[in-house]
Amino acid sequence: MEPENKKILIITYYWPPAGGPGVQRWLKFVKYLPDFNFQPIVYIPENPTYPIIDNDLLNQVSEKAIVLKHKIFEPYQLASFFSKNKTKKISSGIIPNQKKQSFLDKVFLWIRGNLFIPDARVFWVKPSVVYLEKYIVDNNIDTIITSGPPHSLHLIGLKLKQKTGVKWFADFRDPWTTIGYHKSLRLSKYAAKKHKQLEKQVMNTADEIIVTSKTTKTEFQAITTKPITVITNGYDVEPVISKALDTKFSLAHIGSFLSDRNPIILWESIQELLAEIPTFKDDLQIKLIGAISQEVLTTIAQFGLNNYLNNLGYVSHSEAIEHQKKSQVLLLIEIDSRDTKSIIPGKLFEYMVSNRPIVAIGPKDSDFSEIITQTNTGVFFEYTEKEKLKKVILEYYNLFLEGKLRSNGVGLQQYSRKNLTKELVKLLNK
């Protein structure tokens, strides 16, 4: 007789049909948890405001998952009457550079940072606690997981822990007060202090904390003595039909291209190679997929690169995987800031199994630079290393001309979604 599956309640905001990187982590954990004798019960908002929709992901939801939905009130729904475009961008993390913010930008950011603490989903906390407290008792659930951002979901976990004594794992896909955009929210002293207090209370009340990078673990260890485990994001085996490689020397960036991620050293390198290598202009293509900041597009134009730009906008996750596999080189750009050392973009792991070389640019000592180096999947550059970057792009271009450009990754299996779920299960069974 098979043992009964252990129930686990997962509280998350992003769930299909939400698109973008935030949905992938728990969509995939939920896919594989039943293989390890866990029954995933997923609690999500009934009427969310998702900045990106990808209906194809609905087909990837495990048939074994129980999905609970409860209504949410979000201020974005009201704010969109004033400027639907601005609220959509802010809710998806695209925040204009402080020097270039309009009056309306400043108003929206001040409201977002000071009136809704920790974020604009905070009104979902009370009704969720009432609903889930009863559900936990009625269904004998002894373990819950909250996933943030939005970090207001950790406040649901906090209240449920206090009321029911349930074992609580707080999963941080990104940091809280040290995340890059936090400083852009125009916080008052009171609001900044409140964020810190809530962050500390969550971390010191949760039974276990899960993070996605070593640097985040180190940062959190200064706040709490609770056990912290690193479980990175990863890749899944995707049913994508192989396509022929691009005939152009395509440099592809997939995902949100924020204002602060604008890599001047990349545009300069490309501009110089166009001037120095006669055939480069015939072969080059800069391929951008996802939400792109206007500042990035303006800079590309200023460097005279518009003729080489293929801006595809947002595509479904399956189409993005296709482009990863057929583009010649994959670009991975992170903000040049001490605060972003801990960020390991979710797409890195999908990049790594695409067999295409990665050109990565980020701050010194970035956690993701170590992963790229260890797996032999590309080359990492700091923002001061323009000449090195230019040299590698030229090397890749010459290999492209010879038909020999590819990546030869090693040790990738440790980052498979099933293997990472196995790590999660070890933690849940402790």
Side-chain angles (χ1 to χ4, degrees):
M1 186 174 167
E2 285 190 20
E4 188 180 344
N5 283 358
K6 185 178 177 183
K7 296 173 185 173
I8 183 161
L9 174 64
I10 297 152
I11 301 166
T12 184
Y13 180 82
Y14 293 104
W15 191 254
V23 70
Q24 290 293 325
R25 183 170 174 83
W26 285 97
L27 176 64
K28 301 302 183 181
F29 280 143
V30 166
K31 174 181 176 179
Y32 291 112
L33 276 168
D35 295 350
F36 298 95
N37 297 318
F38 276 87
Q39 168 62 66
I41 302 162
V42 185
Y43 175 72
I44 59 171
E46 187 179 320
N47 54 323
T49 307
Y50 292 141
I52 301 169
I53 298 293
D54 185 347
N55 285 309
D56 288 359
L57 293 182
L58 289 165
N59 301 323
Q60 294 191 32
V61 176
S62 168
E63 291 177 2
K64 295 177 181 177
I66 296 168
V67 179
L68 309 175
K69 297 182 181 182
H70 199 65
K71 280 195 174 178
I72 184 172
F73 165 72
E74 299 182 73
Y76 290 129
Q77 294 158 350
L78 295 178
S80 63
F81 286 119
F82 298 98
S83 177
K84 194 168 187 177
N85 190 40
K86 282 194 189 299
T87 52
K88 189 174 180 180
K89 283 186 174 181
I90 288 172
S91 70
S92 62
I94 296 183
I95 294 175
N97 187 293
Q98 286 212 14
K99 294 175 184 174
K100 299 182 181 179
Q101 288 170 8
S102 68
F103 175 74
L104 200 54
D105 288 328
K106 292 173 184 176
V107 169
F108 274 111
L109 288 169
W110 187 92
I111 290 171
R112 154 73 176 85
N114 293 278
L115 299 189
F116 310 124
I117 301 172
D119 50 63
R121 278 85 188 202
V122 70
F123 298 106
W124 200 42
V125 175
K126 281 186 180 177
S128 296
V129 171
V130 172
Y131 175 80
L132 292 175
E133 184 182 3
K134 184 175 187 306
Y135 188 90
I136 285 167
V137 172
D138 290 350
N139 292 275
N140 298 314
I141 289 168
D142 58 14
T143 305
I144 66 169
I145 297 176
T146 54
S147 182
H151 296 307
S152 53
L153 272 66
H154 295 313
L155 303 187
I156 298 172
L158 177 68
K159 298 289 184 190
L160 290 173
K161 175 69 181 177
Q162 290 168 341
K163 286 175 175 287
T164 68
V166 69
K167 189 169 187 183
W168 170 32
F169 293 80
D171 174 60
F172 287 84
R173 300 190 317 278
D174 285 321
W176 187 329
T177 59
T178 58
I179 195 165
Y181 62 73
H182 195 74
K183 290 175 181 173
S184 302
L185 295 177
R186 300 184 167 270
L187 300 176
S188 66
K189 283 185 181 177
Y190 167 80
K193 188 178 177 184
K194 185 71 175 170
H195 275 282
K196 289 279 190 188
Q197 285 173 341
L198 289 173
E199 178 184 51
K200 190 171 183 179
Q201 191 180 7
V202 162
M203 288 187 196
N204 285 298
T205 308
D207 294 283
E208 300 262 355
I209 296 164
I210 306 169
V211 295
T212 57
S213 76
K214 290 195 302 186
T215 298
T216 303
K217 177 177 178 175
T218 303
E219 284 177 5
F220 284 6
Q221 280 173 330
I223 302 171
T224 183
T225 57
K226 290 296 179 82
I228 305 172
T229 302
V230 178
I231 302 179
T232 65
N233 288 310
Y235 68 88
D236 204 11
V237 180
E238 301 283 353
V240 176
I241 299 165
S242 292
K243 296 282 179 86
L245 286 171
D246 291 342
T247 53
K248 293 277 189 184
F249 181 60
S250 50
L251 307 175
H253 182 278
I254 296 162
S256 297
F257 213 146
L258 311 181
S259 306
D260 291 340
R261 283 183 191 153
N262 197 358
I264 302 302
I265 60 166
L266 176 64
W267 313 134
E268 278 183 356
S269 298
I270 293 171
Q271 185 186 54
E272 289 173 15
L273 288 168
L274 284 165
E276 294 164 10
I277 313 295
T279 57
F280 199 60
K281 64 179 184 299
D282 298 322
D283 294 322
L284 175 67
Q285 185 182 77
I286 300 166
K287 188 158 54 166
L288 303 184
I289 296 165
I292 315 298
S293 153
Q294 186 54 51
E295 287 174 55
V296 171
L297 295 173
T298 300
T299 306
I300 288 170
Q302 286 169 346
F303 277 89
L305 304 178
N306 267 359
N307 288 344
Y308 312 98
L309 178 63
N310 183 10
N311 185 3
L312 295 166
Y314 184 79
V315 302
S316 70
H317 184 250
S318 57
E319 285 179 83
I321 297 291
E322 260 181 39
H323 282 289
Q324 280 166 203
K325 289 180 181 293
K326 69 180 188 174
S327 298
Q328 294 292 346
V329 176
L330 299 173
L331 301 172
L332 190 68
I333 318 292
E334 196 42 80
I335 298 167
D336 187 20
S337 165
R338 204 172 53 182
D339 293 342
T340 57
K341 279 168 44 179
S342 65
I343 303 297
I344 303 176
K347 61 176 169 276
L348 167 62
F349 304 97
E350 291 174 346
Y351 273 18
M352 290 187 333
V353 290
S354 66
N355 294 322
R356 310 312 307 150
I358 300 167
V359 165
I361 303 170
K364 187 178 180 181
D365 300 325
S366 295
D367 285 352
F368 73 88
S369 68
E370 190 179 327
I371 294 173
I372 289 171
T373 304
Q374 285 175 348
T375 56
N376 192 43
T377 47
V379 187
F380 172 85
F381 305 90
E382 295 173 29
Y383 277 79
T384 55
E385 299 181 310
K386 196 203 90 175
E387 290 307 315
K388 285 185 184 177
L389 170 64
K390 181 180 167 185
K391 185 181 174 187
V392 168
I393 293 173
L394 180 57
E395 285 173 7
Y396 283 171
Y397 177 58
N398 288 329
L399 287 168
F400 158 78
L401 292 175
E402 296 169 18
K404 295 178 180 176
L405 181 59
R406 62 184 58 83
S407 166
N408 298 298
V410 294
L412 301 181
Q413 186 59 32
Q414 62 184 307
Y415 298 109
S416 75
R417 294 284 188 183
K418 185 158 189 176
N419 203 52
L420 293 165
T421 306
K422 190 176 176 183
E423 295 304 306
L424 174 66
V425 165
K426 279 185 199 170
L427 192 60
L428 297 176
N429 283 330
K430 268 200 335 189

